[in-house]
């Protein structure tokens, strides 16, 4: 029975939280890396403080990145979360309270059907966010309806009793005071003393304000911990404590993975909740991965009749993923970025395998962990969303965090060596100083290199946004239909970035061919992007960026030139009429219509020629400008020194950790079984030799490697028996035992996919694999 139901004391006042909700998901999501996981690098010569700084930097960077990931998830589903919250809040408010009419006596349970997508592992994060939203909303306002939340998962609800017990325990564990008025410490201590049943002098006395199950029933017999009477009594106790509240609390039961539940358990649960509908304001939230057909196919009509359903759809994971890429990698944030191969691996793994939010989070966390764990120069990476400055490096050098080993590792970087090769002829003194003077390198050159790289990120992002804005002006061209994530991949992969790419040439060519209407729309889009100070990302368009790109005067000037033509169009026609027609104004014969027609045509051609000249000039100027900034600022990041401090490019360990390789694991286990079973008698110095003490399947696998495409079962059996005879020594081998062991091993190899039967030769099998490395 839960502690709250037994009337056991609580040593301190509970704070309002959703730890009970997170406790359900914490079993599979605990991935903490303590200081013990970090080792001193440089063969153990790295200062202890530097190792600790790497550990702290990892924790801070992951905390910051995790916040971005969670915030994007909430922002993506913000409207749906608001609708769910409103539904729960109004679920038990009588209809006549808002409409003035009496509501009908419906007794269905208010039920929200939340369609969360087919990737069920991601539902943990989504439903935890919903639970925290429902709990937090009631904690922030005295006027809102308070909510108690119980999150049920199929893995913890194998039968009805366990399901009821989990639900009741989660509700009772969240028992908090919804009175948000401030209380003094002395008052809290008095409440704790009351809960403990102690008087002011320390003597025991009955706890009058504490929920007591025996007092509820009037007798001392105990109820089972899955009885709804416990929840009923506890709820009445909560209502008594909240007599002055604006509204009564709701009991929200969240069923996260509906398809995985036993339908009979849910039918019984719904029926029990329906019986207590008049006493307990229960609201159901059912997570569905497929469609509403799953609900109708799983539950009976009688169970469905107990539910009053409303549907809510959460955004698909690809929407979240695209926003994450934009926030973490495309925007010039001071954080670790992915190189071309890790970034492509992240895209392929998401879109070609699982569409999993959890996998993306794990992959990004692994990136940070490996970067800070194995790279001694990670202490120079951006920390806490701030770039590394000269003052920071000077202080780190004074504190002994930077040593000569750090300077040596910087000089070993490929980008640094390339930079030295580039300047050795132009400025040999600078190159020599970078190679010899550690203090100059660490406190002067490194912050300058990192500042230049950060400036490149700012300018590259600005030009990248300009390119995507221009791209959106040509929606009908199939060759230009590329998403931002794929354009960013091309920017990373190409040696010259996007400066010489085909899409840039297409955009420049199409801008030159724009007519007046299309050109006006392009300038309007560019002005909204670059000139609107109300944009949320206006801080990114700093004065340095605007001055470097020189877009303010250009765009305003182009708009004025085109706008002037539009404003003075009627006046220009009148002036042209006066200029062209009036000098020839004389009364013409009625039959002289040919001359009038020629004059009108000449006037129109003059107007068209003069009006059409300015848009053509503007379009050519815009095309020349974008071609200039594209070629200058959409280059590759590898051209900048010390880009390895910001870009993570190690892919081999990443692929090995996140790409399943069952075949390689099985082949290694069969070929080197002694390492898996930790057997000393099976080890041999002769690599590839077959020991008779090895496991039967391992022996047969090694013989399998010596066979061709068609394997004769009898020859295979004879070879297997010869190896087994060496195990027995001088003892006689039972042929039936050898045959039984051989058949079992063959069946295991067939199950693992190494062989298959063939109709060509009944006494042969076909070998299916050839590589054992």
């Amino acid at each position: 029975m839960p502690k709250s139901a037994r009337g056991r004391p609580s040593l301190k006042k509970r704070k309002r939280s959703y730890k009970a909700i997170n406790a359900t998901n914490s079993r599979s999501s605990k991935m903490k890396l303590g200081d013990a996981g970090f080792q001193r690098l440089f063969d153990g010569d790295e200062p202890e403080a530097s190792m600790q700084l790497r550990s702290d930097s990892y924790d801070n960077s992951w905390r910051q990145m995790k916040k971005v990931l969670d915030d994007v998830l909430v922002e993506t589903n913000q409207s749906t979360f608001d609708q769910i919250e409103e539904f729960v809040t109004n679920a038990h408010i009588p209809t006549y309270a808002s409409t003035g009419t009496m509501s009908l006596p419906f007794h269905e349970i208010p039920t929200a059907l939340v369609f969360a997508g087919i990737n069920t592992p991601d539902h943990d994060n989504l439903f935890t966010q919903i639970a925290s939203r429902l709990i937090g909303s009631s904690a922030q306002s005295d006027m809102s309806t308070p909510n108690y939340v119980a999150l049920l998962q199929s893995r913890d609800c194998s039968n009805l009793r366990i399901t009821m017990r989990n639900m009741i325990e989660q509700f009772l564990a969240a028992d908090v005071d919804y009175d948000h008025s401030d209380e003094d410490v002395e008052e809290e201590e008095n409440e704790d003393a009351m809960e403990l049943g102690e008087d002011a002098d320390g003597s025991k006395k009955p706890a009058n304000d504490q929920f007591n199950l025996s007092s509820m029933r009037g007798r001392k017999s105990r109820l089972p911990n899955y009885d709804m009477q416990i929840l009923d009594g506890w709820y009445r106790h909560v209502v008594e404590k909240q007599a002055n509240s604006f509204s009564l609390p709701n009991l929200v039961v969240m069923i996260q993975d509906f398809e995985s539940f036993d339908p009979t358990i849910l039918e019984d649960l719904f029926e029990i909740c329906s019986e207590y509908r008049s006493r307990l304001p229960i609201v159901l939230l059912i997570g569905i991965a497929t469609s509403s057909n799953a609900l109708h196919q799983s539950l009976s009509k009688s169970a469905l009749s107990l539910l009053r359903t409303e549907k809510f759809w959460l955004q698909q994971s690809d929407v979240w993923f695209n926003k994450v890429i934009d926030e973490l990698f495309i925007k010039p944030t001071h954080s670790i970025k992915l190189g071309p191969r890790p970034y492509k691996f992240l895209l392929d793994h998401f879109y070609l395998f699982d569409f999993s939010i959890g996998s993306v989070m794990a992959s990004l966390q692994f990136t940070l962990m490996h970067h800070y764990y194995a790279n001694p120069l990670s202490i120079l990476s951006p920390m806490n969303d701030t770039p590394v400055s000269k003052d920071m490096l000077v202080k780190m050098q004074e504190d002994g965090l930077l040593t000569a080993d750090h300077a040596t590792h910087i000089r070993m970087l490929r980008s640094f060596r390339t930079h030295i090769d580039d300047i050795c002829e132009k400025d040999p003194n600078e190159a020599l100083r970078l190679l010899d003077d550690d203090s100059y390198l660490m406190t002067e050159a490194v912050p300058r290199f990192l500042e230049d790289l950060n400036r490149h990120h700012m300018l590259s992002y600005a030009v990248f946004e300009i390119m995507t804005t221009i791209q959106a002006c040509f929606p009908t061209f199939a060759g230009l239909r590329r998403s931002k994530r794929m354009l960013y991949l091309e920017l990373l992969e190409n040696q010259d970035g996007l400066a010489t790419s085909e899409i840039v040439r297409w955009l420049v060519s199409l801008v030159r061919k724009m007519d007046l209407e299309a050109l006006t729309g392009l300038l309007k889009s560019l002005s909204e992007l670059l000139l609107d100070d109300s944009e949320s990302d206006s801080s990114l368009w700093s004065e340095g960026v605007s001055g470097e790109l020189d877009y303010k005067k250009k765009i305003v000037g182009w708009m004025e030139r085109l706008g002037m033509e539009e404003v003075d169009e009627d006046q220009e026609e009148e002036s042209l009429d006066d200029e062209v027609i009036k000098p020839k104004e004389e009364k013409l014969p009625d039959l002289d219509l040919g001359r009038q027609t020629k004059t009108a045509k000449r006037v129109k051609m003059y107007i068209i020629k003069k009006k059409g000249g300015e848009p053509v000039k503007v379009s050519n100027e815009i095309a020349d400008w974008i071609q200039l900034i594209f070629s200058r600022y959409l280059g590759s990041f590898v051209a900048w020194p010390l880009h390895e401090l910001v870009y993570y490019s190690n892919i081999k360990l990443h692929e090995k950790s996140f790409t399943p390789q069952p075949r390689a694991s099985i082949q290694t286990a069969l070929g080197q079984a002694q390492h898996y079973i930790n057997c000393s008698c099976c080890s041999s110095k002769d690599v590839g030799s077959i020991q008779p003490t090895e496991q039967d399947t391992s022996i047969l696998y090694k013989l399998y490697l010596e066979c061709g495409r068609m394997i004769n079962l009898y020859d295979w059996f004879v070879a297997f028996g010869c190896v087994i005879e060496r195990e027995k020594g001088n003892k006689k081998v039972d042929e039936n035992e050898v045959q039984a062991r051989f058949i079992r091993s063959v069946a295991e190899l067939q199950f693992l996919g190494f062989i298959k039967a063939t109709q060509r030769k009944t006494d042969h099998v076909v070998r299916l694999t050839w590589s054992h490395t």
Side-chain angles (χ1 to χ4, degrees):
M1 184 179 296
K3 292 183 179 181
S4 300
R6 295 179 184 175
R8 291 184 179 178
S10 176
L11 294 180
K12 68 177 182 178
K13 188 174 181 179
R14 292 181 180 268
K15 300 297 181 184
R16 182 166 187 140
S17 65
Y18 54 99
K19 292 182 179 179
I21 305 299
N22 285 331
T24 309
N25 300 326
S26 61
R27 303 186 189 99
S28 59
S29 61
K30 286 185 178 180
M31 295 180 62
K32 291 186 178 180
L33 184 65
D35 296 341
F38 282 78
Q39 300 177 359
R40 300 174 66 178
L41 304 177
F42 300 138
D43 295 331
D45 295 334
E46 183 186 22
E48 184 78 19
S50 298
M51 184 198 70
Q52 185 63 39
L53 179 59
R54 287 191 291 112
S55 177
D56 296 341
S57 299
Y58 161 73
D59 293 333
N60 295 333
S61 298
W62 171 240
R63 189 181 305 111
Q64 174 187 343
M65 183 175 289
K66 185 65 165 61
K67 183 179 183 302
V68 173
L69 298 174
D70 292 338
D71 291 346
V72 172
L73 184 62
V74 173
E75 180 183 354
T76 303
N77 297 286
Q78 184 68 39
S79 60
T80 307
F81 286 174
D82 292 341
Q83 296 172 8
I84 293 176
E85 181 182 354
E86 182 180 2
F87 172 80
V88 173
T89 302
N90 301 328
H92 291 281
I93 296 179
T95 307
Y96 63 84
S98 57
T99 62
T101 60
M102 183 65 69
S103 60
L104 296 177
F106 293 127
H107 297 288
E108 294 89 351
I109 304 173
T111 305
L113 303 181
V114 182
F115 297 90
I118 60 175
N119 199 348
T120 53
D122 292 338
H123 294 183
D124 287 348
N125 292 328
L126 292 172
F127 280 86
T128 301
Q129 294 280 2
I130 296 175
S132 61
R133 176 69 178 270
L134 295 177
I135 295 175
S137 61
S138 56
Q140 294 172 0
S141 175
D142 294 336
M143 303 298 293
S144 61
T145 304
N147 301 312
Y148 290 98
V149 180
L151 179 59
L152 303 180
Q153 294 178 323
S154 59
R155 65 190 180 197
D156 302 323
C157 302
S158 57
N159 56 52
L160 182 61
R161 290 186 177 184
I162 296 177
T163 303
M164 298 294 297
R165 184 191 65 193
N166 289 339
M167 181 185 70
I168 294 173
E169 286 182 349
Q170 288 189 46
F171 280 135
L172 269 62
D175 187 7
V176 293
D177 188 1
Y178 281 90
D179 185 5
H180 303 288
S181 59
D182 297 332
E183 297 177 347
D184 297 331
V185 176
E186 180 181 357
E187 203 171 327
E188 292 184 357
E189 292 177 351
N190 292 336
E191 290 183 1
D192 292 340
M194 292 292 292
E195 291 179 357
L196 290 171
E198 297 179 357
D199 203 348
D201 57 357
S203 59
K204 299 284 184 178
K205 73 172 186 177
N208 297 327
D209 192 42
Q210 184 180 355
F211 171 62
N212 194 318
L213 180 62
S214 60
S215 63
M216 177 196 75
R217 299 193 64 199
R219 54 182 183 273
K220 296 183 179 181
S221 60
R222 298 175 57 186
L223 288 173
N225 56 6
Y226 54 83
D227 197 318
M228 283 288 285
Q229 296 184 55
I230 298 176
L231 187 61
D232 186 18
W234 167 82
Y235 184 77
R236 282 187 286 166
H237 174 72
V238 170
V239 171
E240 291 176 359
K241 292 197 302 181
Q242 302 177 22
N244 297 328
S245 299
F246 176 75
S247 58
L248 298 179
N250 290 324
L251 303 180
V252 183
V253 181
M254 302 180 65
I255 300 173
Q256 179 173 310
D257 45 349
F258 170 79
E259 286 87 351
S260 301
F261 270 87
D262 186 352
T264 57
I265 296 177
L266 294 180
E267 290 178 358
D268 294 339
L269 175 64
F270 296 161
E271 185 175 356
I272 293 173
C273 293
S274 179
E275 293 295 330
Y276 285 83
R277 169 72 171 78
S278 59
R279 289 175 283 177
L280 299 175
I282 296 176
V283 182
L284 296 177
L285 261 70
I286 300 179
I288 299 178
T290 53
S291 65
S292 57
N293 292 334
L295 186 74
H296 294 278
Q297 293 174 0
S298 301
L299 301 180
S300 61
K301 292 184 179 180
S302 59
L304 291 173
S305 64
L306 302 175
L307 308 179
R308 175 166 56 87
T309 61
E310 188 170 336
K311 298 179 181 180
F312 303 91
W313 283 268
L314 298 177
Q315 290 287 347
Q316 298 299 320
S317 56
D318 60 330
V319 179
W320 171 87
F321 185 65
N322 289 329
K323 290 186 177 180
V324 165
I325 290 177
D326 189 56
E327 292 291 332
L328 291 181
F329 305 128
I330 298 180
K331 288 185 177 180
T333 55
H334 301 293
S335 61
I336 301 300
K337 297 182 179 297
L338 296 181
R341 293 186 64 188
Y343 178 74
K344 188 175 187 304
F345 174 82
L346 187 69
L347 293 182
D348 294 343
H349 201 74
F350 180 81
Y351 283 102
L352 302 180
F353 284 90
D354 51 12
F355 280 89
S356 174
I357 295 176
S359 295
V360 173
M361 290 184 176
S363 180
L364 294 177
Q365 185 178 12
F366 182 86
T367 298
L368 290 178
M369 181 186 68
H370 187 247
H371 175 76
Y372 286 102
Y373 179 84
N375 185 5
L377 299 180
S378 59
I379 60 176
L380 302 176
S381 301
M383 294 176 290
N384 298 328
D385 203 22
T386 56
V388 177
S389 62
K390 178 180 177 180
D391 296 337
M392 293 174 58
L393 293 179
V394 171
K395 189 174 187 309
M396 290 171 65
Q397 192 174 38
E398 293 175 353
D399 296 341
L401 296 176
L402 296 177
T403 63
D405 292 328
H406 291 92
T408 302
H409 270 67
I410 287 178
R411 295 187 178 105
M412 294 171 61
L413 296 176
R414 178 178 297 179
S415 61
F416 182 84
R417 299 199 305 267
T418 303
H419 177 68
I420 294 297
D421 294 340
D422 293 340
I423 68 171
C424 62
E425 296 182 359
K426 301 177 183 178
D427 193 352
N429 294 329
E430 175 70 12
L432 183 61
R433 193 176 183 186
L434 290 173
L435 292 174
D436 291 343
D437 193 343
D438 292 349
S439 178
Y440 174 76
L441 172 64
M442 301 303 297
T443 60
E444 298 288 342
V446 169
R448 184 174 71 248
F449 291 151
L450 294 178
E451 183 180 356
D452 293 341
L453 183 59
N454 180 50
R455 182 174 180 81
H456 163 71
H457 288 157
M458 297 285 291
L459 292 169
S460 178
Y461 171 70
V463 178
F464 189 83
E465 290 295 312
I466 292 174
M467 183 183 66
T468 54
T469 302
I470 298 175
Q471 178 194 14
C473 296
F474 306 99
T476 58
F477 288 83
L480 300 178
R481 294 175 187 172
R482 301 185 189 178
S483 60
K484 293 180 68 174
R485 65 175 184 273
M486 298 308 297
L487 289 173
Y488 184 70
L489 176 62
E490 188 174 351
L491 176 64
L492 294 177
E493 285 185 329
N494 292 348
Q495 186 176 1
D496 297 328
L498 290 173
T500 59
S501 64
E502 181 182 356
I503 188 172
V504 169
R505 293 196 298 268
W506 271 88
L507 289 177
V508 173
S509 176
L510 290 174
V511 169
R512 294 187 188 277
K513 300 175 183 179
M514 276 185 164
D515 56 10
L516 179 61
E517 182 180 357
L519 203 59
T520 305
L522 173 61
L523 289 176
K524 182 179 180 181
S525 300
L526 290 176
S527 65
E528 291 176 355
L529 174 67
L530 302 174
L531 304 181
D532 191 357
D533 295 334
S534 63
E535 291 289 328
S536 59
D537 295 332
S538 59
S539 60
L540 297 177
W541 312 106
S542 61
E543 292 296 330
V545 174
S546 61
E548 186 78 19
L549 300 181
D550 192 22
Y551 59 78
K552 288 187 176 180
K553 293 182 179 179
K554 291 181 178 296
I555 293 178
V556 172
W558 290 328
M559 295 180 67
E560 288 179 352
R561 289 163 62 182
L562 295 181
M564 186 180 301
E565 294 291 331
E566 292 179 359
V567 172
D568 298 339
E569 179 178 346
D570 297 335
Q571 299 178 0
E572 183 180 359
E573 290 183 1
E574 293 178 0
S575 62
L576 286 173
D577 292 341
D578 295 339
E579 178 183 352
V580 179
I581 299 176
K582 286 185 178 178
K584 302 194 179 279
E585 186 174 331
E586 57 185 34
K587 190 172 183 179
L588 299 174
D590 295 338
L591 300 175
D592 196 2
L593 298 178
R595 186 177 178 183
Q596 292 182 1
T597 305
K598 291 180 180 180
T599 304
K601 287 182 178 180
R602 186 169 63 252
V603 172
K604 290 182 179 180
M605 290 297 297
Y606 178 81
I607 295 174
I608 293 174
K609 183 177 180 181
K610 187 168 183 179
K611 286 189 62 179
E614 195 64 25
V616 171
K617 293 179 183 179
V618 171
S619 64
N620 287 327
E621 292 178 8
I622 294 177
D624 294 338
W625 175 68
I626 64 175
Q627 187 174 16
L628 175 64
I629 63 175
F630 286 172
S631 60
R632 182 178 297 178
Y633 302 112
L634 288 182
S636 175
F637 69 94
V638 297
W640 298 91
L642 305 192
H643 65 266
E644 294 92 343
L645 301 181
V646 178
Y647 286 86
Y648 174 85
S649 300
N650 193 324
I651 188 58
K652 292 184 178 179
L653 186 60
H654 213 75
E655 291 177 342
K656 184 178 179 181
S657 302
F658 287 91
T659 303
Q661 298 175 339
R663 176 181 169 184
S665 301
I666 293 172
Q667 289 178 327
T668 305
L670 293 175
Q672 304 178 25
Q674 66 274 11
H675 299 302
Y676 279 74
I677 61 179
N678 196 21
C679 180
S680 59
C681 64
C682 297
S683 59
S684 175
K685 295 182 180 179
D686 187 7
V687 180
S689 62
I690 303 176
Q691 301 297 321
T693 56
E694 294 183 11
Q695 203 264 349
D696 292 344
T697 308
S698 181
I699 295 174
L700 203 63
Y701 173 74
K702 291 184 176 181
L703 295 173
Y704 162 88
L705 297 177
E706 301 174 359
C707 301
R709 180 175 179 272
M710 301 292 292
I711 304 176
N712 189 305
L713 288 175
Y714 180 76
D715 295 341
W716 206 10
F717 169 71
V718 172
F720 179 78
C722 293
V723 176
I724 299 301
E725 287 179 357
R726 290 161 47 194
E727 178 186 8
K728 298 295 184 179
N730 297 328
K731 296 181 181 180
K732 185 178 180 180
V733 179
D734 187 0
E735 186 174 353
N736 293 331
E737 178 186 348
V738 176
Q739 184 176 1
R741 293 166 63 179
F742 175 77
I743 294 174
R744 182 182 62 184
S745 300
V746 169
E748 289 182 355
L749 290 179
Q750 184 178 6
F751 176 75
L752 294 174
F754 289 97
I755 59 175
K756 72 173 183 178
T758 176
Q759 299 296 330
R760 296 179 58 185
K761 295 182 180 180
T762 57
D763 59 342
H764 285 63
V765 292
V766 179
R767 179 177 176 178
L768 300 178
T769 64
W770 297 95
S771 175
H772 61 279
T773 56

